[in-house]
Amino acid sequence: MGDRTSIEAPSSRTWKYQVFLSFRGEDTRKGFTGHLYAALSDAGIHAFLDYNELKRAEFIKNQLQQAIHGSMISIIVFSKRYADSSWCLDELVKIMECRERLEQKVFPLFYNVDASDVRNQTGSFAQSFEKHEAGICEGKHEKEKVQQWKNALTQAADLCGDDLKNADNGHEAKFIKKILGEVNKQLYRKYQLDIEHLVGITSRVNNVVRMIDIEKSGSKDVVRMIGIWGMGGIGKTTLAKAIYNKFEGSFEGRSFLANVREVIANQPITGLVGLQEKLLNDILKSKDHIKVDSVDVGITVIQERLHCKRALVIIDDVDEIQKLKAIARKRDWFGPGSRIIITTRDKHLLEQIGVDGTYMAEEMDEEEALELFSWHAFKSGYPDQEYLYLSKRVIRYCRGLPLALEVMGSFLIKRTALEWESQLERLERSPHEAITKVLRISFDGLPHRTDRSTFLDISCFFIGMDKDYVTQILDGCGFSATLGIPILIERCLVTVSEQNKLMMHDLLRDMGREIVYENADGHPENFSRLWKREDVTDVLSDESGTEKIEVVALDLDLDLTRFSAQAFTNMKKLRLLLLTGVELTGEYKDFPKKLIWLCWQYFPLESIPDDFPMQPKLVALDLQWSELKIVWKDCKLHQNLKILNLSCSYKLRKSPDFSKLPNLEKLILRYCVSLSEVHSSIGDLGRLSLVNLEGCRTLEDLPLNFYQSKSIETLILNKCRKFVKLAEGLGDMVSLTTLEAGETAIRQIPSSILKLKKLKALSLCYVKGWPSTNLLPLLQSLSSLRELALANCSLTDDGFPKDLGNLISLENLDLASNDFCSLPSLSLLSQLQDLTLHDCIKLRAIPDLPTNLKVLKADDCIALEKMPDFSEMSNIRELYLRNSGKITEIPGLDKSLNSMTRIHMENCTNLTADFRKNILQGWTSCGYGGIFLSGNDIPDWFHCVHDDDIVYFTVPQSDGRNLKGLTLSFGFSSSSERFSLGFRISIKNMTKCTELEARIIPDCPIEGYYLWQGQLSNEELKLQDGDKVWIEIIVDKWAKVKKTGVILVWDKFMNENMIDYHLCAYERRAYLVNDDDIIHVENDNHITKSPDFSKFPNLEKLILKDCPRLSKVHSSIGDLGRLSLVNLEGCEMLRDLPLNFYKSKSIETLILNGCWSSKKLAEGLGDMASLTILSLSGENFEIPSFTPFVTCLQLFNTLDAGCSLTEDAIPKDLCSLISLEHLLLGANYFRSLPSLAGLSKLRVLCLNACRSLRAIPDLPTNLYVLKANGCPKLETIPDFSKMSNMRELYLSDSFELAEIPGLDKSLNSMTRIHMEGCTNLTADFRNSILQRWTSCGFGGIYLNGIYDIPEWFKIVNDVDNIVFFEVPQRIMGRDLKGLTICFVYSSRSYSHFPEFEDSQECLIGIIVRNLTKQTALHTKIAFASFRTHGRLEHLFWWRPEDHYLWQGQLSNDVLRLQGGDQVSILVRPLVDFVRVKKTGVHLEWDKVMNENMDNPDPHLYDWETNGDFLGGVDESISRNCCH
């Protein structure tokens, strides 16, 4: 979104006048025309009026014509005697000429004359022309002139004009006011605020337009104020300009007050007055410039002069409420229907003025960002291909900020790739000054120094941490963060995530850290805040710390590096200290004594030393993962300590004495697995609100006085597996709102729980009651309970809470995996929104449900046969009933379909035909979701059905109907239950040459045959009559589409699913293939000859792929003058092409791979002057000379099918192909190659299965991919140190290779290295590439399994495919960039798995489960190689069962991990012949990690958020996270 404030006309033409008045002076000069001219002048409109009534000389005539030519608008006042004047008629002819040539606007006004008299020259106009015709000479010229006059009158009268008689009953003043409004509207349509590159603006404008509410009739007389709020550089001004340009013509007056903050800052005395004057003059358009003497006077004048003007006012970049009040304090300062739009960085300012709506400006998504950046960097909407990877790196740096995209694009334009790399490296060290300058305005404008300190602390240390936690710490520092953090949020300097985490734009973070650098002149010992590892280690090693240091953070990845405690002696003002993996030696007596926060993870001592100074200001003590056995031997008083976190201190056997911690508010002892005793003094803590003992598996009970607490709100006992009893005193904990006691040994909940009137959440999952007693007492008195989780509690009909239906506040109820056969009525639970009954295998009937229910989950209830009536369930959105084979129908469901977005009834095989038909025909939801049923037959009412994944149709004429959208249906089979399927729908409008790719179908991880039906709204499709449409269902390898159907929906209500809109993805792009231009046939076993191409004169692309019986191509192909692509791949019986084919001057691409019967291309090949891509293969194919193609051939492909080439047979002029991009020479017999360094455009080189090859020569530095698998004699590889563009390297089974020189210098660009079977690699080479690997996502390094998981991996499972760990808390300034994952696997021959016959790789799923947030990330980034037994098996040297090692990375931008998250990583091969032996994980802090942007798979990463992670693994979780 560009942003410039100048105003310019749409063309380069300069207008001398805005309006030209043409009139008959004797009729209207002193009356109507004179009044009109005065009104125009008073409105500030520059109009031309001819005062020379009597002196009509030739030079006057020339002046008039020049005035007409130089006017933007002409107004013609037709009066009774207008046509008497030849001068007026000549003016009219000139006016109509300028209208046609210069697109001038012409307004005809009919003043006491009928438009029909002007048009037909009747009435008084007939009398005038009788005089003209009587007086003309007989010469041809004069006759033509009279005809010109008549034609001009007719044309002018046909234009849209106004008649005085029809306007306000002949009231001239009102008539003139109306004309003035039309003139203003036209003038301002020609003047638009300049916006450079309108990228991504439409959706944002539409969001604001809904708030502005101009169109609704009820709002036309209401004055509305709207605020646009966002961080600096986010595009607020650009958005405001776009709104101004869209609506300024709809208002009497308009004013855009740009850069208010800057104007007043530069002119502190006159700036605000000047803005008031501009507002008045813009709206009133007075002939005489309005001036005001002071701000107070300006306020008065604005109130008096503008209160009756319907105006559009934009007040841009306001930073102080008083400035805003001087311009637009109240709505009644402006006329009815006015709109005032305010842009600001300060949300509170908008709240102060009381706006009617606030729009928060959004960052650009990646597609928008790439387009805007490209306009600035390449002067086009997409980057040059060779700069695409670098451009995406810039996009990631800018994080969707338009300002940064414009600055970086403008800076990098016309620079080399090396200069781009250098700039990106520079940005890693310090941010761009032009960006920082704009962002810093918000920082400098903060109202108090403590707010600035809060911002700097957050930018350096607290990003990603809990807002409430940080607030407590910074309040303890005296920063008043309770107020300060909301101020930062209002100023768009900080945001808060849905998980209540403090977040910050990366560029704001970099700005904050740069400020710290600036304030210390770059000397670490003088920094107020130390967070970079090298700076901290230098200061601690040198013991050079000073009093200026306030905060220190050091994370050393558990390496337990030692420093002297004396290094902190001079840091007298140290208030925040974060250490991880650090041991301090020596005495602590001189340690800083003003700490507010001490976070020392992996604290190495068994107790806090006796000489550790008392910390009277300490607010939070975090010693997670410590070696503590006891906390203090002699506890000192910590009066201010509010938070104590000793989680995962696995040796800790008892809690500290709490009597010295009187103000403790939060006690967190998660996974202290040896903890068996909690000190009885805990009951005396009058402010304690949170107790989290999750995973304390040795703990059996709590002291009795614990239950006397009146302050505890949250008690968490999940996974305390030996905890047997909650005391009867539980009911006395009157403040308790949350109780979680899942997976404990509790057998009965005390009846006193009924006294907990504030209890909102109760979770008892996996808790089994005694056989003879009920787990829960009657619950009806728990009137505040909103969440109840009783999953897997072995509840039977007798043990089920009888009064469950009385919990009137209940919103979420989880009863999954229980043993009851029936349920009581739940219809009285009027607040219930989510009901879960998954895996209740004995449940036979679901009772009446509350009508407010939104989600019902009852998958795998195999005995379920009866459902309640759904006819009143008008709020139901999602219904899950998979594998309920006894259900025949759901009564009344067809009455509630309007609210629904998803129905899952896969494997409900007993549904009646009527029920299926009713829900399919009644479905209204568009977008994400749909209906899933068993079977794959398309309903018979679909009029367009095809037996594969493609359907084609033409939109018929609407004939008065309204096309609302499409209903789509397809039947598919799924062969995998182990990985979610990904579906995409491609809708190609071949008339408009556009494509919409819709990802609206949820994942479906179930094996079987299914039908999906859903809808796409025409709001998204934008189809029109006559459009030719091609729809393709795109699925992954685990599914196959059997049939596809479509039906057009006319005049039917369709409801876009906005609730899940964030899950839906629509991608639009140009689609350049028209159905008249392409013939596309694949896998046709019947076609034997091509069609006669004379019927397709405009054919551009011919694709006859994998048609094995095709033997003849029609000779008319040579007559196709627009044909550019010919793809005949896999046409095995095709022997040759017609000779006139080679005469083509248009063909650019010729693909003949797999045409095994073809032996030779004709000599005429050299005449194909446009040929740029030639791809051919075949046994003993005769290769033509390359000389004719020296400057044009980009791709040459002899494929790995064996052309039997030796050194002598390699074409001698191969290296002359200076444009060559792809060279495939696989399965040949040469031992060496000539140097290829001169092929500067070469991108891909394939040498697979060249078994005699001993050395690869020097390669061009632009090479992207080198494939040399199965070259067992290969022993020499060229130096890779300058191969900075290399992406993929394949060298499997090169047994002689020891290393690749210089490869470590080129790793930053690489995404895949395959060296399986390379058993002779040196240790130094292996360690170098593994440790320096930077690529994230798809790809990785593949080595032989004789090499173990590297020793620097600290989290390793030596026997299995799963690891568990907890993410350490973020240490000051250190960013968790991601994870490096490594595993060893084996594969064997797969002769019993024919579905993989043509594959050489098999997917290995890596599932990262965040057990804390209950989310899972399914990734497709790793593959396992295995043996093949296809027809080319003899070409490859495959191994029997062997072991391999894979290492790759996942960026935290994808993982979204935060400190404290419990994480499990499961490596899961998706075939049985691959097995994972070992797994390791290494956390990467502050490391450069490059996301591999080359992989197009939209399901590379798939999120799962069902939270179903209980059972089976939890013992391992607690074991692994604490050891």
Side-chain angles (χ1 to χ4, degrees), residues 1049-1063:
V1049 180
W1050 302 90
D1051 299 323
K1052 173 185 171 183
F1053 172 75
M1054 299 183 78
N1055 184 23
E1056 185 73 32
N1057 175 12
M1058 302 304 297
I1059 297 165
D1060 298 316
Y1061 198 79
H1062 63 291
L1063 300 174

Side-chain angles (χ1 to χ4, degrees), residues 911-948:
L911 299 177
T912 67
D914 286 345
F915 172 74
R916 288 172 62 103
K917 182 177 180 179
N918 285 342
I919 63 171
L920 290 171
Q921 286 192 328
W923 191 249
T924 64
S925 178
C926 296
Y928 191 82
I931 302 176
F932 288 86
L933 299 174
S934 284
N936 55 22
D937 288 330
I938 306 295
D940 55 13
W941 59 85
F942 279 76
H943 62 267
C944 185
V945 179
H946 204 274
D947 285 337
D948 59 13

Side-chain angles (χ1 to χ4, degrees), residues 263-276 292-295:
V263 168
I264 298 173
N266 293 336
Q267 305 169 42
I269 298 176
T270 61
L272 189 50
V273 169
L275 290 167
Q276 291 176 321
V292 296
D293 297 329
S294 67
V295 172

Side-chain angles (χ1 to χ4, degrees), residues 1280-1426:
F1280 267 62
S1281 59
K1282 295 185 178 180
M1283 305 290 287
S1284 58
N1285 293 292
M1286 181 62 71
R1287 296 282 192 276
E1288 301 176 19
L1289 179 61
Y1290 300 81
L1291 291 168
S1292 297
D1293 300 320
S1294 296
F1295 308 119
E1296 303 296 327
L1297 273 182
E1299 64 176 355
I1300 302 173
L1303 183 61
D1304 57 328
K1305 304 288 196 308
S1306 299
L1307 290 177
N1308 280 353
S1309 64
M1310 300 203 67
T1311 62
R1312 295 180 76 166
I1313 296 177
H1314 284 265
M1315 299 186 76
E1316 304 96 318
C1318 297
T1319 54
N1320 202 30
L1321 300 178
T1322 68
D1324 287 345
F1325 171 73
R1326 295 197 317 272
N1327 289 335
S1328 178
I1329 62 172
L1330 290 170
Q1331 283 191 320
R1332 298 188 182 188
W1333 188 251
T1334 64
S1335 178
C1336 298
F1338 183 80
I1341 300 177
Y1342 297 77
L1343 298 177
N1344 195 277
I1346 63 172
Y1347 310 122
D1348 204 349
I1349 291 178
E1351 60 184 11
W1352 59 84
F1353 279 75
K1354 302 300 182 185
I1355 305 169
V1356 178
N1357 185 335
D1358 287 326
V1359 295
D1360 210 345
N1361 63 335
I1362 189 168
V1363 291
F1364 299 87
F1365 62 94
E1366 179 170 320
V1367 180
Q1369 287 296 331
R1370 183 178 179 275
I1371 303 303
M1372 285 194 176
R1374 302 215 50 209
D1375 286 337
L1376 178 63
K1377 294 296 188 179
L1379 304 178
T1380 298
I1381 301 172
C1382 188
F1383 57 83
V1384 176
Y1385 67 95
S1386 65
S1387 68
R1388 65 181 186 273
S1389 174
Y1390 58 98
S1391 57
H1392 299 296
F1393 301 91
E1395 64 269 31
F1396 297 100
E1397 180 172 356
D1398 296 322
S1399 300
Q1400 297 168 23
E1401 290 182 328
C1402 141
L1403 180 67
I1404 293 183
I1406 299 178
I1407 305 173
V1408 183
R1409 283 191 168 92
N1410 189 322
L1411 303 166
T1412 302
K1413 296 190 177 72
Q1414 298 283 282
T1415 61
L1417 177 68
H1418 296 255
T1419 74
K1420 300 179 181 180
I1421 65 171
F1423 286 80
S1425 297
F1426 50 83

Side-chain angles (χ1 to χ4, degrees), residues 273-286:
V273 169
L275 290 167
Q276 291 176 321
E277 291 176 351
K278 176 172 170 50
L279 176 67
L280 290 163
N281 286 294
D282 283 350
I283 294 175
L284 296 175
K285 292 294 178 186
S286 176

Side-chain angles (χ1 to χ4, degrees), residues 99-116:
R99 175 182 179 270
E100 183 176 347
R101 287 179 48 239
L102 303 178
E103 298 184 358
Q104 292 179 1
K105 185 69 178 176
V106 177
F107 282 126
L109 303 178
F110 303 99
Y111 184 79
N112 294 327
V113 66
D114 289 336
S116 61

